Each structure stands twice: as structure tokens, then as C-alpha cells.
Amino acid sequence: MASLITCPHCGTRPKEEFSIRGAAAPKRPSATVKDEEWHRYVYVRDNPRGRYQEYWHHVAGCRRFLVVDRDNLTHEVFGVTDASDFERARTAG
């Protein structure tokens, strides 16, 4: 059975329609921080095992960015949120 992702805009689709774009947890630093902070943000990342939130791009569908909450060992998907809704919720709380 193929891995499936349920896009909030297009419905359930095969994972091959998507491209993983990276961790959703790090917050982008302000433009005024020192170069060392930007270096850490761009190049130094944790690579945890287990449940993880990632940005995914629905390249063969609606072309929206999504946040997929999944286990990167078992590939079980717990939920999918539009990235703009994810960011709004993160900045509100």
C-alpha cells in the first residue's frame, strides 16, 4: 500500500505528489540578528527520530505548503495543516 497524505485542499493523495521541505519547528530569525544566528537557522538543525512536524509542498496538486505531523520512523501521518493556518496558530499562542 502506498503512503498517503490528506491534503486539506485536494483530499487524500499519494505521497509522490509532495516534496518534503524541512522542519516546521524552527522560527525564522529577524533580519537584524547576527550572522551566527542566521548560520544556526540555515545550517544547524536537529534530526530527531519519531513524531515530527515538517513543511511539505504539494507540487503535483494545489501547490500549497502544508505542515505534516508524522512519525519519521513508521511514516504514520497524524495530521496535515495548511502552512498559513499553522503559522497563524503559532504566532497567536
Side-chain angles (χ1 to χ4, degrees), residues 20-36:
I20 298 174
R21 306 307 295 169
K27 290 188 179 181
R28 184 183 179 99
S30 72
T32 59
V33 300
K34 295 184 178 185
D35 289 345
E36 293 80 17

Side-chain angles (χ1 to χ4, degrees), residues 17-63:
E17 287 192 8
F18 300 85
S19 174
I20 298 174
R21 306 307 295 169
K27 290 188 179 181
R28 184 183 179 99
S30 72
T32 59
V33 300
K34 295 184 178 185
D35 289 345
E36 293 80 17
E37 182 71 23
W38 274 103
H39 176 81
R40 278 193 299 280
Y41 173 74
V42 173
Y43 297 108
V44 181
R45 299 282 177 96
D46 290 334
N47 189 16
R49 293 177 6 182
R51 196 164 175 170
Y52 193 60
Q53 290 181 316
E54 300 167 307
Y55 285 113
W56 287 50
H57 186 211
H58 195 178
V59 293
C62 61
R63 306 207 40 88

Side-chain angles (χ1 to χ4, degrees), residues 1-5 12-16 74-75:
M1 178 184 217
S3 294
L4 301 173
I5 305 291
T12 303
R13 312 298 291 200
K15 72 172 175 55
E16 289 78 19
T74 66
H75 304 291

